[in-house]
Amino acid sequence: MTSKEILSSADAEGVRFMRLQFTDILGIGKNVEIPRSQFEKALDGQIMFDGSSIEGFTRIEESDMLLIPDLDTFRINPWVNADGSKVARMICDVYNPDGTPFPGCPRMTLKRQVDRAKAMRHSMLAGPAPEFVLFQRDAHGNPLIETHDAGGYFDLTPVDKGEECRRDIIIVLEAMGFEVEAGHHEVAPGQHEIDFKYADAVACADNVTTFRFVVKKVALDHNLHATFMPKPIFGVNGSGMHCHQSLLDKKGNNAFYEPKAEWQLSKTALGYIGGILEHAIAFSAVTNPLVNSYKRLVPGYEAPVNVAWSEKNRSPLVRVPAKRGMSTRCEVRMPDPACNPYLALAVMLAAGLDGVKRKLDPGPPINKNIFTMSHREKRRLRIGQLPANLWEALGELEKDAVVSEALGDHILEHYLRAKRQEWEEYISHVHPWEQERYLAEY
């Protein structure tokens, strides 16, 4: 859309306020809200904000930052204010006051990898499947550790009590331009998944940030609390964000498909998978960014802890679904929905492109159930394992030149600092499990 078209649409729809949205390096959504009188100024990229209080942005002495909106992300929220007016949004890139790109902007970080793919005559398509859990709220609106149902995979009413909330989420998503493919109850109590159509890398990350906002807003309207925490409840499956991805060539053909090759996978596809496997241990610190993320990545709960690939079964980290032709893709199963989608896609794309460039061989697919394999058999097949905790993952991230370079010095430095502080706070805390286990015996 052009600026003129946006202004015309906003006035026709009674838009009174505009949210200029962006994310910090941890993936937390932020916004500056402006009234109608400032719309022209925003469209010209003249809105500034104080970045000194945003995680991973700037120091207090260099705080001013510019928000440059992506006009194609203009959407009108489907909610009406009490006075009949509406609120719209645009997703922004962050720039320095002198007009240069800010190196701490996650969206710009992903764009750099997209440009790198273009230089290699490729473009990325990605389709994530973020899961979430709905919890009840108490009389004060605080979330309870009590799910709204005890349903399981694909259950129906009355077991699945989240159907109405899930339907309302889909209605809002469609009103904001999403093509929703399906919604259903997941394996764990209160756990849900809504699948939406793939998109190019940047649009995909934009969609994930919008999706998380919509899910939380609609859940709140239903007096529920939606969480994208990877493992909110002990003893049941955690929430993942499996990410389907593929490359297109310069003619728009699927670069992963080769009809006469083994498994009908091209050398580009195998190289990409090889890159994902080689760098997964390092980029797990980005795709699985919380202390809690590694409570999900444990054996026994369908979590992809094994660094291998497969055509069929879901126990390895990378799976290649059966469809071929333009639908040929790999599914990276390790990310969780708490990640910053811009940084997660950036590091996965960087890893895959490194594999394509170096023509890495991922080896034959592991079509046996890895969950039932012995340690000796895994070693024989050279199947590695993801880090056991966030601290280990951060150490691997810092050692991996490809993943570190994809993030850039600014984001890498601030990300490591923030996440190591998170880990230090966690290990210094005395948890109920420790008290129950040790208090009486020692």
Side-chain angles (χ1 to χ4, degrees):
M1 298 182 73
T2 65
S3 296
K4 185 177 180 180
E5 288 170 336
I6 288 174
L7 292 172
S8 176
S9 177
D11 290 340
E13 294 290 331
V15 175
R16 181 72 179 82
F17 291 93
M18 180 87 73
R19 284 181 173 145
L20 304 178
Q21 297 179 197
F22 59 100
T23 65
D24 65 15
I25 65 169
L26 303 183
I28 306 301
K30 306 290 181 181
N31 83 106
V32 173
E33 190 170 76
I34 58 172
R36 173 63 184 85
S37 62
Q38 302 299 303
F39 285 8
E40 288 87 349
K41 188 176 177 181
L43 291 167
D44 288 338
Q46 298 180 33
I47 299 295
M48 301 193 79
F49 74 101
D50 179 4
S52 63
S53 299
I54 305 297
E55 183 64 61
F57 272 34
T58 60
R59 296 171 296 183
I60 192 78
E61 63 269 23
E62 48 187 31
S63 59
D64 289 338
M65 318 232 60
L66 279 171
L67 290 174
I68 308 297
D70 182 338
L71 304 191
D72 288 337
T73 65
F74 172 76
R75 298 288 187 278
I76 298 174
N77 292 339
W79 302 288
V80 179
N81 298 324
D83 63 356
S85 66
K86 296 180 181 179
V87 178
R89 77 98 204 270
M90 287 190 291
I91 297 175
C92 301
D93 295 320
V94 182
Y95 280 73
N96 295 312
D98 63 2
T100 57
F102 172 54
C105 175
R107 197 168 188 264
M108 298 285 280
T109 300
L110 175 55
K111 284 185 173 183
R112 287 199 301 271
Q113 291 306 310
V114 169
D115 289 342
R116 180 172 167 237
K118 286 180 180 177
M120 297 174 64
R121 300 183 177 184
H122 291 301
S123 58
M124 181 195 207
L125 292 180
E131 298 168 343
F132 59 94
V133 178
L134 294 175
F135 285 103
Q136 298 188 46
R137 293 176 177 267
D138 64 18
H140 302 288
N142 300 312
L144 299 167
I145 310 301
E146 184 178 336
T147 60
H148 71 296
D149 69 24
Y153 209 33
F154 296 124
D155 272 339
L156 290 165
T157 300
V159 180
D160 175 8
K161 297 180 180 179
E163 283 187 344
E164 290 185 10
C165 179
R166 198 170 62 234
R167 286 177 186 143
D168 285 348
I169 290 170
I170 292 172
I171 289 170
V172 173
L173 290 173
E174 290 184 329
M176 297 190 73
F178 280 65
E179 183 176 336
V180 177
E181 296 178 337
H184 61 85
H185 199 290
E186 262 292 342
V187 175
Q191 188 180 48
H192 301 268
E193 180 179 312
I194 295 173
D195 301 325
F196 45 91
K197 190 175 181 180
Y198 61 84
D200 68 80
V202 176
C204 173
D206 289 342
N207 286 342
V208 173
T209 60
T210 300
F211 177 82
R212 294 196 298 210
F213 166 74
V214 169
V215 168
K216 285 183 171 290
K217 167 69 170 69
V218 176
L220 183 62
D221 292 344
H222 282 259
N223 197 32
L224 296 168
H225 174 75
T227 182
F228 293 94
M229 182 179 175
K231 188 80 168 184
I233 305 173
F234 170 73
V236 298
N237 286 24
S239 295
M241 190 180 76
H242 303 165
C243 189
H244 296 257
Q245 45 201 284
S246 61
L247 295 179
L248 301 183
D249 63 23
K250 62 180 181 179
K251 295 181 180 180
N253 298 316
N254 191 316
F256 281 8
Y257 179 56
E258 178 57 59
K260 296 182 179 180
E262 191 173 14
W263 313 300
Q264 294 187 305
L265 296 176
S266 68
K267 292 181 179 178
T268 297
L270 295 175
Y272 193 94
I273 293 170
I276 292 289
L277 297 181
E278 177 155 314
H279 299 287
I281 291 174
F283 69 62
S284 63
V286 179
T287 56
N288 305 83
L290 308 183
V291 167
N292 181 256
S293 296
Y294 297 85
K295 304 293 178 71
R296 166 182 169 253
L297 295 176
V298 294
Y301 297 98
E302 299 183 11
V305 297
N306 303 293
V307 183
W309 77 283
S310 170
E311 284 185 281
K312 301 172 184 177
N313 79 76
R314 288 171 164 78
S315 59
L317 188 146
V318 176
R319 184 178 74 96
V320 177
K323 286 188 177 181
R324 292 295 185 264
M326 284 300 292
S327 296
T328 308
R329 64 196 186 276
C330 69
E331 176 192 21
V332 183
R333 298 173 56 79
M334 62 187 284
D336 66 49
C339 70
N340 182 324
Y342 299 102
L343 298 185
L345 285 172
V347 295
M348 286 190 285
L349 179 54
L353 292 177
D354 181 59
V356 172
K357 182 179 179 181
R358 293 166 53 200
K359 300 179 181 179
L360 294 179
D361 181 3
I366 307 296
N367 290 325
K368 293 176 60 179
N369 187 350
I370 304 178
F371 294 141
T372 62
M373 286 184 184
S374 66
H375 180 67
R376 177 178 293 181
E377 189 174 5
K378 289 181 184 179
R379 287 186 62 184
R380 182 178 62 81
L381 295 171
R382 298 182 179 179
I383 297 173
Q385 191 156 321
L386 293 176
N389 55 57
L390 180 61
W391 182 262
E392 287 185 17
L394 293 170
E396 296 294 338
L397 168 61
E398 196 169 23
K399 292 188 295 185
D400 191 300
V402 169
V403 182
S404 294
E405 185 179 346
L407 294 175
D409 292 340
H410 182 102
I411 287 183
L412 178 66
E413 176 189 348
H414 286 82
Y415 190 86
L416 289 171
R417 182 186 304 156
K419 288 298 167 181
R420 282 177 171 149
Q421 181 179 349
E422 182 179 334
W423 174 258
E424 288 165 3
E425 290 175 4
Y426 169 71
I427 60 171
S428 66
H429 187 76
V430 178
H431 301 274
W433 180 90
E434 297 172 271
Q435 294 168 331
E436 293 172 9
R437 182 68 178 267
Y438 303 127
L439 195 63
E441 293 185 24
Y442 296 92

